[in-house]
Structures are given as structure tokens and as C-alpha cells.
Amino acid sequence: MPIRPARSSSRLPSALLLVLVIAGCTDDLPRASARVVAELDDTIGGPKALLRPGDLLLENDRIRLGILGARPSLGPHTSGGSLADADLQRNDDRYSHGHGNDRLAELFSTVNMTVARVHDEGGTVAIVADGSDGGPAEICTEGPYESFITMLDGLWPLVRSPEYRIRTDYILEPGSAAVLIRTVATVVEDRDDGTGSGCDGPLGTDVAEAPGSDDVMPIIELAMETGLAFGDFYLQGGDVDVFAPDIGFDEEGYVYDLTRDGANTFQDPIAVDFLAGASEDVSYGLMAASGRLFVPMFTSSQTVAVGGG
């Protein structure tokens, strides 16, 4: 979980590594690639598919992922740069030419419950590595932060939240069933000034890890007082049956019991080793690169998982 030194603040920005796993297998030789979608036949397809020409496809010999370009999302998100489609590589012509089995609603990174603003008037989505050298393929998204939950808009000036920009890299190794999601916040004087920002090459080595935890994660304290809380909005959607260890598939009943008992999951978030979901012929999972996930919001339609800060 890297940290890029701040350009104009004494507070250090942080980064979180999360892993999205898609269950499946293949006999193809290991490979990875990233490319711009040229036509609908290039997309993944499926009941929840959002990809269109101009968006980006990240795939290897095991899984296929769709990353929205710099345009508004037609899914739960309001901006571009999200991981919108995800499916297995299927060696069956019935699933080719945009007729896949994407069941995931959408996933996008968050810092302090804010998201990167990535659309045609600002923000960047770019291929950092196309995988042609035999190594990992990587797609970067970057933009100034904005609130996803608008009721929080009035809070950040009161707690003197820093100005920052959010960069997320989706990194897919050949032969891997998991994509590495690496998120960095860079503190700046003016978040709308993109000078020196964007996706100009891979992240540098002048970074340090933002700590995860196996015990507790003080999300409210991090967001309002001492630092930055990193995670993802993990929106599996109605086609996916959500699962978590020690909770099972009944997340609604579990959250209901917590609410009835007076628990505040923002002050005391639900700690899990991973989040997962099962759907027809495909399953998904999310875990932190180290430590546990801490979940202040937990439903199939809107889940936030924090893994570092």
C-alpha cells in the first residue's frame, strides 16, 4: 500500500492495495493485455455489462475486466474510471463477441468516502502497460476527489479535509485470477489543478505502505482527524448473492441485528477477511493485500470496504 509524498502539504497521502478475485480456470498460456475497445464485439457482455467502444478492456488467460473510459457511468457510479464489467475467459463461442456473463454491478475506489471525478471534462483513464512485453497489463485512472454520498459535502470544510487527487491502477498479471487495485491520494493545493497529475507512467518507487490492520480500523478518526481512509465501493448488484465469513449469505439479517442492538458500523465497522458473491456461472471476491477489510456500509447494492489508512 504505497504512499506518494505530498507536493504541497505536510500530510502524507496514502494508498491501498485491494484484490478482486474471479473464480474460474483455463488451459491457455499465461498472458495479459490492455486495449481500447473498438466496437461492441470487443466488449465482455452480460446482464450487467456497461462497456462501450472507447472504454478499456483488461484481460489475461483467466479473466476479463472492463474499465470505463473518461465518461459518466450508466451504472451505480456517477463518473468514469470504474471497474464496470468482470467475467471469466470462456473457451466457448457462445460467450464470444460481447455475449459474456458479467454479473458485477460496479467497483470504484474511495478515499474518505470520496471518489475520483473522471469524465470528459476532467480526469484521465490511460493504459500504462499493454502487456505486450509479457509482463502485467495496467490501466490507470486519475482525477480530483468529489463526494459520492452528497450528504457529506458540508462535512469536509468543517473538518478541514485536505485537497487531494485520487489515482487508481488496475494491475493484472499473466495467469492470475485476481486483479490488483492500487489507490493513491496525492495532497495538493488545488484539486482541480491537474498540473503534474494524471497517468504519466507507472507509480514511482518513492512510496511507502499505508498500514492495514487485523484488529481495528478507526475509519471516522482517519477521515476526520488524523489521515485518509482507503477502500472501495464494492457494488455487487442484485444478480450476485453476497457472502462474508462468519456472516454467510444473510448480510441483511446481520446488519439488522447490529442496528437493533444499537451498533454504529461507521464507528465500529464490520471486520471480515474478505467479501465475496456468487452468481450464475461466476463468483467474485474482494480482499485487502494485507490485513482485513473493514465494512461501514454493507448491502448487496452499496457496500464500502476499507483496507488501509
Side-chain angles (χ1 to χ4, degrees):
M1 288 170 277
I3 298 177
R4 174 183 291 176
R7 292 201 297 268
S8 54
S9 171
S10 60
R11 298 181 66 181
L12 290 179
S14 308
L16 171 67
L17 300 178
L18 287 173
V19 179
L20 180 69
V21 182
I22 306 176
C25 60
T26 180
D27 295 327
D28 289 348
L29 293 175
R31 59 180 174 80
S33 66
R35 68 178 190 273
V36 176
V37 173
E39 53 189 19
L40 284 175
D41 276 2
D42 287 338
T43 62
I44 295 171
K48 296 295 183 179
L50 296 175
L51 241 60
R52 297 291 182 268
D55 296 329
L56 290 88
L57 185 67
L58 182 66
E59 63 180 340
N60 65 6
D61 48 292
R62 301 189 67 180
I63 61 176
R64 310 184 77 202
L65 308 168
I67 310 300
L68 290 191
R71 66 171 179 88
S73 171
L74 298 178
H77 196 11
T78 56
S79 193
S82 62
L83 197 164
D85 296 353
D87 192 16
L88 307 173
Q89 285 286 1
R90 300 180 184 274
N91 297 321
D92 186 330
D93 286 342
R94 291 176 298 174
Y95 295 99
S96 62
H97 304 296
H99 294 91
N101 189 40
D102 166 54
R103 302 275 176 165
L104 181 71
E106 206 162 5
L107 180 149
F108 43 95
S109 297
T110 178
V111 178
N112 286 2
M113 303 294 286
T114 68
V115 297
R117 186 172 73 243
V118 180
H119 51 60
D120 53 3
E121 296 180 358
T124 302
V125 180
I127 295 172
V128 174
D130 64 8
S132 59
D133 61 356
E138 181 174 350
I139 292 174
C140 164
T141 74
E142 196 272 350
Y145 86 82
E146 66 178 1
S147 293
F148 181 67
I149 301 175
T150 55
M151 69 177 64
L152 298 177
D153 281 346
L155 174 63
W156 305 125
L158 296 177
V159 299
R160 297 183 179 180
S161 175
E163 294 274 290
Y164 53 87
R165 296 177 66 90
I166 300 172
R167 171 172 171 166
T168 296
D169 286 60
Y170 303 96
I171 305 167
L172 185 60
E173 296 275 356
S176 176
V179 60
L180 184 65
I181 305 169
R182 187 183 190 191
T183 300
V184 174
T186 302
V187 178
V188 294
E189 290 286 352
D190 179 3
R191 60 180 152 157
D192 291 315
D193 180 3
T195 304
S197 302
C199 295
D200 296 331
L203 291 169
T205 58
D206 55 339
V207 294
E209 287 193 354
S213 175
D214 290 315
D215 186 19
V216 295
M217 180 69 66
I219 295 174
I220 295 296
E221 180 181 345
L222 284 169
M224 298 182 63
E225 299 178 16
T226 61
L228 301 171
F230 286 75
D232 282 279
F233 279 92
Y234 183 39
L235 314 183
Q236 297 196 90
D239 278 11
V240 179
D241 198 1
V242 178
F243 175 86
D246 301 322
I247 296 173
F249 287 100
D250 186 20
E251 82 284 354
E252 291 185 1
Y254 183 81
V255 172
Y256 173 82
D257 289 342
L258 290 177
T259 303
R260 181 196 59 198
D261 295 340
N264 184 329
T265 54
F266 278 88
Q267 291 182 333
D268 187 16
I270 303 164
V272 295
D273 292 330
F274 62 87
L275 292 172
S279 189
E280 184 177 343
D281 295 328
V282 66
S283 298
Y284 303 100
L286 183 73
M287 61 187 296
S290 64
R292 308 181 80 188
L293 291 176
F294 296 86
V295 183
M297 297 173 59
F298 192 19
T299 68
S300 61
S301 60
Q302 187 153 282
T303 294
V304 176
V306 174

